[in-house]
Amino acid sequence: MINQGLKYGFGSARLEIEQGFAYLSVNKDIQQDERMSQFSQALALKESDEKLMRAALDSIQNASQIGSQLFAEIKAQQPGLGDVIVQPSVAISDSMSKRTMVVILTLSSKPSI
């Protein structure tokens, strides 16, 4: 075999001969480690995406709770209150921007007693 390697110009190549199936387990372990690493990375990415979605959902639920609470408090003071629209927004000016809430109230045209 070495003579054949010299014949084809592989004289400086290292020849390693392994017998049986022992060499397969080494490659299998390396491939399994690579798959586990890829799986772990994919799982970590999925978990971070899930956390972001939960945060967004929590934000929506909090806005809904704030709207319900705001409606109840204003309705107690102003019985003619019809609807309340509460929407998170961003107030932007030349020098800054900040998160805020936009509140729209609709009052009934009936005088309150």
Side-chain angles (χ1 to χ4, degrees):
M1 238 187 230
I2 295 174
N3 292 336
Q4 292 294 328
L6 293 173
K7 179 179 170 183
Y8 292 106
F10 297 124
S12 62
R14 182 172 168 234
L15 178 63
E16 190 173 310
I17 299 173
E18 296 183 16
Q19 291 182 332
F21 296 102
Y23 71 94
L24 292 177
S25 67
V26 173
N27 290 339
K28 186 177 179 181
D29 290 343
I30 291 171
Q31 290 173 349
Q32 187 173 4
D33 288 345
E34 288 175 6
R35 279 191 232 140
M36 287 299 289
S37 175
Q38 291 173 350
F39 179 72
S40 296
Q41 290 173 352
L43 187 59
L45 181 62
K46 183 182 179 296
E47 287 175 352
S48 67
D49 288 346
E50 184 178 335
K51 285 179 184 179
L52 289 173
M53 285 204 260
R54 280 195 184 171
L57 182 60
D58 288 346
S59 175
I60 292 169
Q61 289 174 342
N62 287 342
S64 178
Q65 289 174 347
I66 289 171
S68 298
Q69 183 180 358
L70 187 63
F71 178 81
E73 290 178 9
I74 294 174
K75 183 76 170 180
Q77 296 174 10
Q78 297 291 328
L81 181 65
D83 298 315
V84 173
I85 299 172
V86 180
Q87 183 67 41
S89 187
V90 178
I92 301 172
S93 66
D94 288 336
S95 61
M96 60 182 246
S97 66
K98 65 179 180 175
R99 293 175 51 153
T100 188
M101 299 292 275
V102 175
V103 179
I104 301 172
L105 306 174
T106 48
L107 303 171
S108 66
S109 59
K110 300 177 188 176
S112 59
I113 299 177

